[in-house]
Amino acid sequence: MVDSIYRTRSLGVAAQGLPDQYADGKAAKVWELYIGSKNDRTTQYKQWLIEELKRNNCVTVLDVACGTGVDSILLVESGFSVTSCDASDKMLKFALKDRWRRRKLPNFDKWIIEEANWLTLTEDLKEAEDPERPSSYDAVICLGNSFAHLPDFEGDQVNHRIALQNFYDSLKPGGILMIDHRNYDIILATGKASAKNVYYNSSHIKDIKVSNLYVNGHPSLITLDYTMDLSNIDKAKFSQSDAHFRLSYYPHCLSTFSNLLQEIFGGNKAEHQHAIYGDFKPYVEGDNPAYYVHVIKKPGTEPES
């Protein structure tokens, strides 16, 4: 039976980096169930992220898709100076609780958390007026397929450009943007999404159903309906309605997204300026990874070590 009203996401599910459309407190609960605990990041992802940041001499990091703080905590624990932001205060509440709980540990008392929207990122951070916050960063990270939550209802990707320009403006000369997206090329071609998640070890995802929306012949929206196995979950915390939820994404294809990044960052596609990884390994044309990760450098001198 088709929904009488087509919803792009389940009620209560916030999209990271976007206005908090369903601020009823359910969002963070569903999100934590989807991704698993903060200890469930894959070893491969942790190693790749830390090594890539260190290889580029990064010290200060802006996590623009903080959510409940999973990546930010990993970076704080690894000794980086971290500023975290998200548009959802309900999601940030969990990050703030973690910061307070661990405030006596090294670096956690210096972890900066702010509410900010990608489309007004630089203005939002300036308005926060935190004297401890850097004015620019060695790295900006937007990972976990977060950027794809930003829709393109106008059909010209103007909001994508605004957000990427704000990421660019937040970087020091020579700083890097680390940003990713699912392999939407294969999803559009096959109508199926891989259940493989290179970021999380969550054991709850049972099935993913895909709906592709085309506008005037162009892919405009991909909706994923998730079914989770709650058989071993505390029934006092989660009801059966939590077993099903929906998230929608803009289908960034590899070629067009690469061109968009080059448009914002300028320069050519020299390997040292724009590297592409497939599931955290150097991408080779013909590979079919579940996720693409882009690391692109802002022109200028290298960040100071």
Side-chain angles (χ1 to χ4, degrees), residues 13-180:
V13 179
Q16 294 183 36
L18 297 176
D20 194 5
Q21 298 182 49
Y22 305 108
D24 62 358
K26 180 182 176 183
K29 182 180 75 170
V30 176
W31 185 251
E32 289 283 354
L33 187 62
Y34 168 48
I35 67 174
S37 74
K38 291 179 174 62
N39 295 322
D40 284 336
R41 283 300 203 189
T42 63
T43 300
Q44 181 188 24
Y45 170 58
K46 292 178 182 178
Q47 291 178 343
W48 176 85
L49 178 60
I50 301 304
E51 289 174 4
E52 191 68 20
L53 289 170
K54 289 183 176 179
R55 188 176 68 83
N56 284 278
N57 300 316
C58 297
V59 176
T60 56
V61 181
L62 174 61
D63 181 359
V64 296
C66 168
T68 57
V70 180
D71 284 336
S72 293
I73 289 173
L74 166 63
L75 295 176
V76 173
E77 289 175 337
S78 300
F80 293 94
S81 176
V82 182
T83 300
S84 306
C85 60
D86 200 279
S88 172
D89 62 339
K90 297 297 183 182
M91 300 283 267
L92 288 178
K93 177 179 69 175
F94 287 79
L96 290 165
K97 285 183 177 179
D98 271 313
R99 183 180 66 179
W100 175 255
R101 181 173 57 84
R102 304 175 69 175
R103 65 191 181 279
K104 295 183 179 180
L105 298 177
N107 295 324
F108 274 87
D109 60 333
K110 298 180 180 179
W111 177 20
I112 298 171
I113 303 174
E114 304 286 0
E115 186 175 343
N117 187 297
W118 293 339
L119 302 182
T120 53
L121 179 66
T122 53
E123 293 88 347
D124 290 349
L125 290 178
K126 285 179 182 177
E127 288 178 3
E129 297 182 346
D130 189 330
E132 301 297 324
R133 187 184 65 79
S135 58
S136 57
Y137 297 86
D138 298 325
V140 171
I141 66 169
C142 185
L143 298 170
N145 195 42
S146 298
F147 193 71
H149 283 296
L150 184 60
D152 179 35
F153 294 134
E154 292 78 11
D156 55 6
Q157 292 193 272
V158 62
N159 284 340
H160 297 159
R161 288 180 171 86
I162 291 172
L164 290 173
Q165 185 65 54
N166 283 332
F167 298 168
Y168 178 93
D169 291 341
S170 299
L171 287 168
K172 295 178 181 178
I176 59 169
L177 170 66
M178 306 172 76
I179 189 167
D180 73 336

Side-chain angles (χ1 to χ4, degrees), residues 96-275:
L96 290 165
K97 285 183 177 179
D98 271 313
R99 183 180 66 179
W100 175 255
R101 181 173 57 84
R102 304 175 69 175
R103 65 191 181 279
K104 295 183 179 180
L105 298 177
N107 295 324
F108 274 87
D109 60 333
K110 298 180 180 179
W111 177 20
I112 298 171
I113 303 174
E114 304 286 0
E115 186 175 343
N117 187 297
W118 293 339
L119 302 182
T120 53
L121 179 66
T122 53
E123 293 88 347
D124 290 349
L125 290 178
K126 285 179 182 177
E127 288 178 3
E129 297 182 346
D130 189 330
E132 301 297 324
R133 187 184 65 79
S135 58
S136 57
Y137 297 86
D138 298 325
V140 171
I141 66 169
C142 185
L143 298 170
N145 195 42
S146 298
F147 193 71
H149 283 296
L150 184 60
D152 179 35
F153 294 134
E154 292 78 11
D156 55 6
Q157 292 193 272
V158 62
N159 284 340
H160 297 159
R161 288 180 171 86
I162 291 172
L164 290 173
Q165 185 65 54
N166 283 332
F167 298 168
Y168 178 93
D169 291 341
S170 299
L171 287 168
K172 295 178 181 178
I176 59 169
L177 170 66
M178 306 172 76
I179 189 167
D180 73 336
H181 54 88
R182 272 184 177 268
N183 185 345
Y184 288 109
D185 295 82
I186 196 68
I187 294 176
L188 290 169
T190 65
K192 297 180 180 179
S194 171
K196 176 184 178 182
N197 195 317
V198 295
Y199 292 98
Y200 308 113
N201 286 320
S202 176
S203 59
H204 300 303
I205 301 299
K206 183 178 180 181
D207 184 41
I208 304 175
K209 289 185 170 56
V210 178
S211 301
N212 296 336
L213 176 65
Y214 287 77
V215 177
N216 292 330
H218 297 285
S220 177
L221 195 72
I222 285 181
T223 299
L224 303 183
D225 285 291
Y226 297 85
T227 300
M228 294 183 289
D229 180 6
L230 303 184
S231 57
N232 295 319
I233 298 297
D234 185 352
K235 301 299 189 295
K237 293 182 178 180
F238 298 98
S239 66
Q240 191 58 36
S241 63
D242 294 321
H244 304 278
F245 71 100
R246 170 178 291 176
L247 293 172
S248 290
Y249 308 90
Y250 180 84
H252 292 288
C253 292
L254 179 60
S255 176
T256 54
F257 193 71
S258 297
N259 290 338
L260 190 60
L261 288 173
Q262 290 293 332
E263 176 188 325
I264 300 299
F265 278 71
N268 54 44
K269 295 184 179 180
E271 183 177 352
H272 71 280
Q273 290 181 323
H274 183 189

